[in-house]
Amino acid sequence: MKIDSPNQVLAAPQVPVKKLTKWAKEPTIADLRGDFDAAKPSHDAQVTRINAWLDQLHVTGSAKPKKIKGRSAVQPKLIRRQTEWRYSALTEPFLGSDKLYQVKPANADSTQAAVQNETVLNWQFRTKLNRVNFIDNLVRCTVDEGTSVVRLGWKRVTKKVKQQVPRFVHYEIETQPQMLAFQQALSLVQEDSNNLGSLPPEMQSAISHYQETGQTTYAQRDGVETVTNDMLVENRPTAEVIEIRNFYLDPSCNGDTDKALFCIYSFETNKAEMQKEPERYRNLDAVNWEGATVQTDTEHSTNTPSDFQFRDAARKKVVAYEYWGFYDVNGTGELVPIVATWIADTMVRMELNPFPDQKIPFVVIPYMPIKRSAYGEPDAELLEDNQKILGATIRGMIDLMGRSANGQQGFAKGMLDPRNRRRYENGEDYEFNPNMPIAQGLIEHKYPEIPQSALTMVQFMNQDAEALTGVKSFSGGISGQAYGDVAKGIQTALDAASKREMAILRRLAKGMSQIGDKIIAMNGAFMSEEETIRVTADEFVQVRRDELIGNFDLIVDISTAEVDNQQSQDLAFMLQTLGPKADWSFTAMILSEIARLKRMPELAKKILAFKPQPDPMQQQLLQMQIEKEKSEIDKNNAQAELYRAQAKAASAMGDKTNLDFVEQETGTKHAREMEKQAAQAEANQNLKVTDALLKPRKQANGAESKPDIQAAVGYNQFSKAQSGAPAGQPA
């Protein structure tokens, strides 16, 4: 059967094709192929340019010089040399550290979620994704073709396994403790559904039974039973640098992929791969697997050799077209994000966009951006003429040297006879014709001198190429002659090259940031409820899916070796300025940052965690010094106290002396002495009177008796009255 078009395939048995959705206006293959055909002209124009750039890079096709008999066909790979230097400079900033992403919270409520997402994202790129291979492919594709396209997805693989699980029998709750335990467990689960896993198995069964039937029961174990469950084998995001020739983008997006209304990607698959995902791909029985081959589809670019093909139906490769875009599927005028896949003339997938961000799962990264275009340009666009001129100049020099008879010798006829000719060739002494001097009869051929103009042209082309790309070669390379042959001029030139490199890195970092945003969104929707993540060799954390939801700002941690080295030198100068007596906490911060810039994260962590231990001898000397200072202080305090006491005593003595002088001068002291003597005399007189009154009574009674106190008191008062003294005072 003759095939008239690349999409026409051999007739297949008529199998009814089922409708895949309940949409009012489900698009057909013809509708989606219309978008494909509309995007094909602009896509083909870009592919033509990419093919020309790759020919220049690898010196193939039109870039390869035509062979001329007797002439050199060498073509120096100037563009390849520049790109090889560019690869490592662009990959190392992404691969030099285990921490590729920094996740910053956009608001205060997302702080904890940002920490969790940063941990998960960096762990996935370290362990779940082949980061080295992915970054290498991304950088090489971007540098070589001017644009790279990354396809994001999620891979989930399960398998059926038989497990023995306990069987429970449920009974009505009869006692108050049973009801109280059930209510406590139910409240925990209602607060957080993840608490169900921390309950005992019997309580888990009772809560699950309540959620299903609404009946409050308690469960008892009743043996075990064998059930078939889905065991999760693989559950991770995917990131693939796809072939740009198989990617068709909406040409009306004006360079902004977020505004693209559709994109189409063709890929190779087989029946066995699609049957693994029955919930995604249907109508597989209606596909003509025998007729739909990779070789018959000329619109798809493949690396599979044209003479290779699997013979069995399960592994035989076919081309599938995947449509991601926005379509009015309900007939209401509102665009809905959808995904559709078809093989030949059979639709095998049609559903709403399953990704949580509701965008196309592709990220387009340009190398040198083109205004109002989603695609970019590589260095080959700038270096094409330089490579051609350099090749022509070098081929001319090679032809100049190759056409000479270097090392050959010519003898004049008659200069040597046959016998002396043999002796000359054997290295023996020989005789020559004296009429023909040997200097004139012997000619030794040598390479001709290469003209200085050719060497100057080669040097000029190399310098011009470096100026165009900003790539410094191994020896010589970019100089500061344009700014003056001084250190400042050289530094200016190198700074300009570093800025050019950082501009390219920022575009790559922006693409990596978009990739991280899409993976974070997928983690919040498709990741397991709990993941155990290894942070370091001996540190593990538990991350739950519901803790990953929030608003974040993604930062890709990139830097060039030159920038890192300059920053580390500046920090070392700051450390030197601080000196050895600076506080250790401040010194540790600077040292850890230097270690991080030198790509030594483990050392940086150890420096921050290190707590310096003091020298025991130094500690003892310090303690002794403290005790000595304390004793000196106590001694000084005691001496000061003594001085204060002496001063107080001297002050008191002076006050007493002054008081005595004042009383002496005013007669107060004399008056006080007179009053004292008068009181003493009166007391003596009263004593004598009392004795006189009591003595007769003692004699009359002949025995001791109590003194007549009242009589004595009365007499004293009488005496005071006679003398005019007040009562209670001595007369």
Side-chain angles (χ1 to χ4, degrees), residues 36-76:
F36 178 86
D37 295 335
K40 197 172 185 305
S42 61
H43 169 269
D44 291 346
Q46 182 65 23
V47 168
T48 301
R49 300 183 66 194
I50 291 175
N51 291 334
W53 293 330
L54 293 178
D55 287 342
Q56 295 292 333
L57 175 65
H58 300 293
V59 190
T60 58
S62 60
K64 190 174 182 180
K66 295 181 179 180
K67 290 186 178 181
I68 301 176
K69 185 177 181 181
R71 297 296 181 92
S72 172
V74 172
Q75 175 59 52

Side-chain angles (χ1 to χ4, degrees), residues 662-673:
V662 172
E663 290 180 349
Q664 188 72 27
E665 290 293 324
T666 58
T668 304
K669 186 175 181 181
H670 178 71
R672 188 182 295 114
E673 288 293 335

Side-chain angles (χ1 to χ4, degrees), residues 359-461:
K359 298 179 180 180
I360 61 175
F362 295 90
V363 175
V364 181
I365 305 174
Y367 181 73
M368 291 189 300
I370 304 174
K371 290 188 298 184
R372 292 178 289 277
S373 175
Y375 300 101
E377 293 178 332
D379 289 333
E381 179 69 18
L382 305 175
L383 301 179
E384 180 178 358
D385 293 337
N386 296 72
Q387 180 165 285
K388 290 180 179 179
I389 296 172
L390 183 63
T393 305
I394 291 180
R395 285 194 298 273
M397 291 190 291
I398 292 175
D399 290 340
L400 180 65
M401 301 178 69
R403 293 166 69 90
S404 66
N406 183 59
Q408 293 183 4
Q409 292 179 336
F411 295 90
K413 290 184 177 181
M415 188 184 73
L416 295 174
D417 55 54
R419 179 169 175 266
N420 284 291
R421 176 66 181 270
R422 286 194 302 270
R423 296 182 69 179
Y424 172 81
E425 292 175 351
N426 293 333
E428 300 175 359
D429 295 337
Y430 60 92
E431 296 177 352
F432 61 91
N433 188 352
N435 296 327
M436 188 174 296
I438 193 169
Q440 298 178 2
L442 176 62
I443 298 177
E444 292 185 2
H445 295 273
K446 297 180 180 179
Y447 284 129
E449 292 294 331
I450 297 177
Q452 188 64 29
S453 59
L455 298 176
T456 302
M457 179 60 72
V458 170
Q459 184 179 5
F460 174 72
M461 286 296 105

Side-chain angles (χ1 to χ4, degrees), residues 25 29 53 57 126 144 151 264 329 410 451 548 655 669 728:
K25 294 180 62 177
I29 295 180
W53 293 330
L57 175 65
R126 286 197 315 269
D144 294 349
R151 180 176 185 251
I264 302 173
V329 298
L548 301 177
D655 293 342
K669 186 175 181 181

